[in-house]
Amino acid sequence: MRNEFKNAKEEYAGTPIPAELSERVQAGIREGKARYRARRSRTLRRWTAAAACFVVVLAGLNLSPTIAKAAAEVPVLGGLFQVLTFVDYDKTEDGIHYDVSVPKVEAEGSLAETVNAVIQEKLDAHLAQARKDWAEYREAFFATGGTEEEWAGREMDVIADYEIKSQSENRVSFVVTFAEGWVASMEERYYYNLDLAEDRDLTLRDYLGEDWVNVCNAAIERQIAESADEEGFTYFFTPEEGGFTTVDETTGFYVREDGTVVVCFPKYGIAAGAAGMPEFPIA
């Protein structure tokens, strides 16, 4: 993903910039930002009611994730864990709009500590890379003839967000998303399925049994075949083109509230970009 993004950015940087950037392109960028923010707003509203008893939103925090930490006393809802919004801010600085909401799992045992450390590390790396990308884009813009007037109003969205997909007394499944949105864009998702009672990660085997590979493969291959239109067109690559072959221990997934396992793939991983990030419910 990062190499694809880097190549796209380098290709763009090498393209001469016209004297006036098309208003239509700018409008498209604005519309894309609005759609993402609207989707995020809907997601947050859906979870506010369910999470009101255990989510603490920390407002007005400094951009540094290290400074933006705080402890909160929140009752455990009869289970073994809490999920807190640990870092939360919406701020624009140096042309970058930060929309950041990051979770923290509080529970006994080492698993929660490990997961929190990994998420923090990924957040730090995401913010650092975003600032680097924006600085390089700005440098390339002026190096290819761009003016201060043309640069004015440009903004980069840097997004970190999460969604709790399901939870029970001892288990939780959630997704953390890191994204950049500007002339180029990227998005990465990380999936966490935790058993806080046993202090371990949950796997596809735990949910689907010993034959989990065949169960997943059959369901995914069926849905890929069903995606083809009447003329046989599909966004999914063939195995020979680098498309889907099999799931393995590294395949991302989450669990819905109804218990359905949903297997996930990154953008461009097994399909054209128009397919987005393919998800396959495993029935």
Side-chain angles (χ1 to χ4, degrees):
M1 174 64 72
R2 178 61 62 185
N3 287 337
E4 293 174 355
F5 172 67
K6 180 179 179 182
N7 292 338
K9 181 180 64 179
E10 290 176 348
E11 181 179 349
Y12 179 85
T15 303
I17 298 176
E20 295 183 1
L21 188 63
S22 168
E23 176 59 29
R24 183 174 300 176
V25 173
Q26 286 295 308
I29 293 172
R30 290 193 296 270
E31 181 181 353
K33 292 178 181 179
R35 283 199 302 269
Y36 188 96
R37 290 169 181 168
R39 177 163 59 87
R40 181 174 187 269
S41 178
R42 289 194 298 270
T43 298
L44 290 176
R45 284 198 297 271
R46 285 199 304 270
W47 283 102
T48 297
C53 294
F54 64 91
V55 174
V56 174
V57 178
L58 308 177
L61 300 177
N62 188 281
L63 285 178
S64 167
T66 302
I67 298 175
K69 294 180 179 179
E73 296 296 330
V74 181
V76 180
L77 302 181
L80 300 179
F81 67 93
Q82 307 170 74
V83 179
L84 309 177
T85 301
F86 194 47
V87 177
D88 189 82
Y89 52 81
D90 188 329
K91 183 176 182 179
T92 299
E93 185 175 272
D94 297 330
I96 302 177
H97 174 229
Y98 298 88
D99 192 352
V100 177
S101 182
V102 178
K104 176 183 179 182
V105 180
E106 288 197 348
E108 297 294 331
S110 61
L111 178 61
E113 182 179 351
T114 298
V115 169
N116 294 336
V118 169
I119 293 174
Q120 182 68 62
E121 181 180 357
K122 291 184 183 301
L123 175 62
D124 291 343
H126 176 56
L127 297 179
Q129 184 63 49
R131 292 175 183 127
K132 181 174 181 291
D133 291 338
W134 189 239
E136 290 179 353
Y137 169 55
R138 187 179 190 279
E139 181 180 357
F141 179 87
F142 288 113
T144 53
T147 66
E148 290 287 351
E149 182 180 3
E150 293 168 340
W151 177 259
R154 279 170 171 73
E155 186 178 276
M156 176 190 205
D157 280 330
V158 176
I159 299 159
D161 198 7
Y162 74 98
E163 181 179 359
I164 300 174
K165 295 294 188 177
S166 64
Q167 64 176 15
S168 63
E169 183 175 358
N170 303 324
R171 292 183 172 186
V172 63
S173 177
F174 64 93
V175 181
V176 178
T177 299
F178 297 113
E180 289 182 12
W182 43 303
V183 175
S185 63
M186 59 78 66
E187 183 172 346
E188 295 177 339
R189 294 178 184 169
Y190 299 92
Y191 304 88
Y192 298 90
N193 302 281
L194 314 178
D195 187 321
L196 282 307
E198 298 185 10
D199 200 38
R200 69 182 181 91
D201 291 306
L202 292 164
T203 66
L204 287 169
R205 185 192 303 274
D206 292 319
Y207 286 100
L208 302 174
E210 292 300 317
D211 197 33
W212 63 277
V213 172
N214 290 328
V215 169
C216 287
N217 289 351
I220 294 169
E221 288 167 357
R222 183 185 70 253
Q223 292 175 65
I224 289 176
E226 291 173 349
S227 74
D229 64 18
E230 295 179 354
E231 298 179 353
F233 173 80
T234 177
Y235 287 118
F236 290 93
F237 306 138
T238 65
E240 294 74 23
E241 296 170 331
F244 176 74
T245 55
T246 184
V247 295
D248 58 30
E249 288 81 2
T250 66
T251 302
F253 74 97
Y254 64 83
V255 183
R256 298 194 310 215
E257 286 288 356
D258 63 3
T260 300
V261 171
V262 180
V263 172
C264 310
F265 295 90
K267 191 173 183 179
Y268 304 112
I270 61 171
M277 296 185 168
E279 297 188 350
F280 301 91
I282 308 300

